Amino acid sequence: MKNELKKYLERFIKLSDNEAEMALEFFEYQKFPKNTLILRSGDICNFEAYIKQGCAREFFTDHKGNEHTVEFAIEDWWISEINSFENQVPSQVSIETLEETEMLMLSLESKKQLLEAIPALERMFRIMMQRHVHALKKRLLQNMSRNAMDRYKMFLEQYPTVVQRVPQYHIASYLGISQEFLSKLRKRNMDL
């Protein structure tokens, strides 16, 4: 059940068999049906989650009631609202499963205990955070400097399997365009 997470951890640090088994004990397995809101905007995020199987998205709703997808998370990725989780403040985003999704979840208390038990994992979480910040900055710069077609092509490169797995209106909201314009981009991209 937790073999995927063990392999993930070992990409960053070398763990003894005993440390690896101990680390996995801090995670709780959860299975969520499709379209489950596992974090609601305004609530405090109580998890960091490794996605074993499935797909989820992080999104916010603007003052007009329009949803804007911030990111997608699929197998072997993590999802959380880090500011809310780490600082125990209300979340500005919501997290929803887009497929039946299996996660290995870590509570804040469990994370603290895990890092006390295996301090070397601090490095893994630091690297994960650095990569996340880099990805968000890259996306922000792309949104500011690239046209919609370029953003769509970059989305296809970053999330090659997501296109078939999620509704097109979520992809459109991620790209910051209308669903109709996304349809035009998809057709134009196929014609190239």
Side-chain angles (χ1 to χ4, degrees), residues 8-30:
Y8 183 92
L9 298 176
E10 290 178 341
R11 278 188 238 157
F12 296 93
I13 60 169
K14 181 67 181 142
L15 296 172
S16 69
D17 290 341
N18 186 40
E19 287 175 322
E21 290 305 313
M22 183 180 8
L24 298 176
E25 293 302 315
F26 288 93
F27 290 84
E28 179 184 341
Y29 172 81
Q30 296 266 350

Side-chain angles (χ1 to χ4, degrees), residues 135-149:
L136 288 175
K137 183 176 180 182
K138 181 179 175 182
R139 178 162 182 243
L140 175 66
L141 293 173
Q142 288 171 351
N143 283 351
M144 293 169 49
S145 64
R146 305 289 176 124
N147 65 37
M149 178 57 92

Side-chain angles (χ1 to χ4, degrees), residues 59-70:
F59 68 97
F60 74 94
T61 306
D62 67 22
H63 66 283
K64 294 180 180 178
N66 299 315
E67 292 181 359
H68 303 273
T69 300
V70 177

Side-chain angles (χ1 to χ4, degrees), residues 49-93:
Y50 172 82
I51 298 183
K52 181 183 178 315
Q53 183 68 45
C55 180
R57 75 178 178 122
E58 181 180 321
F59 68 97
F60 74 94
T61 306
D62 67 22
H63 66 283
K64 294 180 180 178
N66 299 315
E67 292 181 359
H68 303 273
T69 300
V70 177
E71 69 178 327
F72 295 100
I74 56 175
E75 294 83 6
D76 204 34
W77 290 28
W78 291 74
I79 194 159
S80 181
E81 206 286 71
I82 293 299
N83 183 50
S84 177
F85 178 74
E86 295 285 342
N87 298 308
Q88 293 295 282
V89 296
S91 175
Q92 295 180 328
V93 299

